[in-house]
Amino acid sequence: QVQLVESGGGSVQPGQSLRLSCAASGWFFSGYCMGWFRQAPTKEREGVAVICGDGTSTYADSVKGRFTISQDSAENTVYLQMNDVRFEDTATYYCAAEGWGFDQTTYGYWGQGTQVTVSS
């Protein structure tokens, strides 16, 4: 049974930084993608950043240049470094594994989510 546990969410001010972690336990095929999605109040869940088995990363246009996804394969952990956060980054952030790109329907495993609130 695969479990994904997110951590690192919290409240920050605009312009500050935050790092989210997603620790995976159990076996899953690392050749697929693993990454982060988010859902803001009244909005649909959207892709933020994913990193795939071939080493490639994909970012939403809204976070390019500000967020960085990385992976520690030895620890089965994926990180999302969030720099220069904005009000519009406020959302529940979900970790997902064993999928393709930003196609949420392909992801077999999801975490419970961690809240990120950007406020002044």
Side-chain angles (χ1 to χ4, degrees):
Q1 183 75 15
V2 175
Q3 286 191 320
L4 304 177
V5 179
E6 303 102 332
S7 61
S11 296
V12 291
Q13 295 182 338
Q16 291 186 334
S17 297
L18 202 63
R19 190 176 81 156
L20 305 183
S21 300
C22 173
S25 61
W27 185 90
F28 60 93
F29 186 55
S30 59
Y32 291 101
C33 303
M34 187 172 177
W36 295 93
F37 294 77
R38 69 184 180 187
Q39 187 168 21
T42 72
K43 293 188 177 181
E44 293 186 352
R45 190 164 59 188
E46 62 178 0
V48 177
V50 297
I51 187 166
C52 302
D54 61 359
T56 59
S57 302
T58 302
Y59 295 90
D61 288 342
S62 59
V63 306
K64 282 180 182 177
R66 301 187 299 120
F67 292 9
T68 302
I69 189 169
S70 61
Q71 185 174 29
D72 183 336
S73 298
E75 297 294 328
N76 253 3
T77 301
V78 171
Y79 302 98
L80 184 68
Q81 179 66 42
M82 305 168 61
N83 295 332
D84 189 24
V85 297
R86 303 169 181 171
F87 291 119
E88 53 265 36
D89 295 322
T90 295
T92 301
Y93 284 71
Y94 296 91
C95 178
E98 208 172 88
W100 291 112
F102 284 161
D103 186 347
Q104 299 181 44
T105 65
T106 65
Y107 283 81
Y109 303 101
W110 291 85
Q112 293 298 308
T114 186
Q115 179 67 35
V116 172
T117 302
V118 183
S119 65
S120 55

